[in-house]
């Protein structure tokens, strides 16, 4: 591989990020999501950013599904109080909203990375970071495995 290779985004109409940027963004989002425990607005923005990435990349069905789940979780988190429901219902709804706010950003970003990154782009980006091939090749296989599994 050429040592002086500079990543150039493919000629596609959607937002095209470098694979290294996608992975760094995922790591920062996962770290941030666990640091903003009680700040609902910042937590909402952290969940909303991956949904907007899906929207700008033309993944409409996924954007709608994740968006509806996010809006439902926001509604539950902001309006439902313990006194309004039975204990079991409150626990179930609270669990749903926390799962959406805590784990969905990582799930959505993982989905976004797999859907929008080609294995060659990933291998090139990781090679530029001097990651050993023993790590790059198995990780790149994930980009081929999930689409094949879906078919």
């Amino acid at each position: 591989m050429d040592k002086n290779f500079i990543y150039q985004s493919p000629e596609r109409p959607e937002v095209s990020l470098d694979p290294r940027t996608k992975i760094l963004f995922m790591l920062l989002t996962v770290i941030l999501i666990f640091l903003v425990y009680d700040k609902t607005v910042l937590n909402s923005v952290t969940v909303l950013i991956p949904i907007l990435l899906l929207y700008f990349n033309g993944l409409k069905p996924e954007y709608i599904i994740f968006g509806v789940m996010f809006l439902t979780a926001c509604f539950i988190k902001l309006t439902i109080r313990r006194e309004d429901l039975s204990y079991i219902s409150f626990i179930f709804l609270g669990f749903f909203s926390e799962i959406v706010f805590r784990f969905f950003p990582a799930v959505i970003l993982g989905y976004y990375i797999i859907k929008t990154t080609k294995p060659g782009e990933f291998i090139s980006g990781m090679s530029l970071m001097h990651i050993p091939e023993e790590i790059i090749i198995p990780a790149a296989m994930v980009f081929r495995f999930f689409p094949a599994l879906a078919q």
Side-chain angles (χ1 to χ4, degrees):
M1 182 148 281
D2 184 16
K3 295 279 184 194
N4 297 320
F5 175 77
I6 297 175
Y7 179 80
Q8 294 179 353
S9 66
E11 299 298 324
R12 290 183 254 166
E14 63 264 2
V15 175
S16 184
L17 298 175
D18 183 79
R20 296 170 292 175
T21 306
K22 292 176 186 177
I23 291 172
L24 177 66
F25 187 63
M26 183 171 188
L27 290 173
L28 290 175
T29 301
V30 169
I31 290 169
L32 184 63
I33 211 65
F34 286 103
L35 293 178
V36 294
Y37 179 69
D38 281 336
K39 297 173 179 62
T40 305
V41 174
L42 187 57
N43 202 341
S44 298
V45 169
T46 308
V47 176
L48 190 61
I49 290 172
I51 293 172
L52 289 175
L53 281 172
L54 290 176
Y55 172 74
F56 288 124
N57 278 283
L59 301 169
K60 189 171 183 170
E62 296 87 349
Y63 155 74
I64 292 171
I65 291 169
F66 289 131
V68 166
M69 290 180 81
F70 171 66
L71 291 175
T72 304
C74 281
F75 176 77
I76 290 170
K77 193 167 187 143
L78 295 175
T79 61
I80 303 297
R81 295 179 303 166
R82 167 66 186 103
E83 300 82 29
D84 297 340
L85 299 169
S86 69
Y87 186 70
I88 298 295
S89 300
F90 180 73
I91 288 193
F92 176 73
L93 292 173
F95 181 71
F96 170 76
S97 71
E98 285 303 314
I99 288 292
V100 168
F101 276 96
R102 297 279 165 229
F103 296 108
F104 260 38
V107 170
I108 296 170
L109 280 171
Y111 182 82
Y112 165 74
I113 290 170
I114 288 174
K115 269 305 229 200
T116 60
T117 305
K118 294 180 181 170
E121 292 175 353
F122 179 77
I123 291 171
S124 173
M126 294 301 108
S127 295
L128 288 172
M129 291 176 56
H130 305 290
I131 306 283
E133 284 190 8
E134 292 82 16
I135 296 172
I136 296 172
I137 301 302
M141 295 310 296
V142 171
F143 292 97
R144 291 187 179 138
F145 174 73
F146 284 114
L149 184 66
Q151 287 180 352

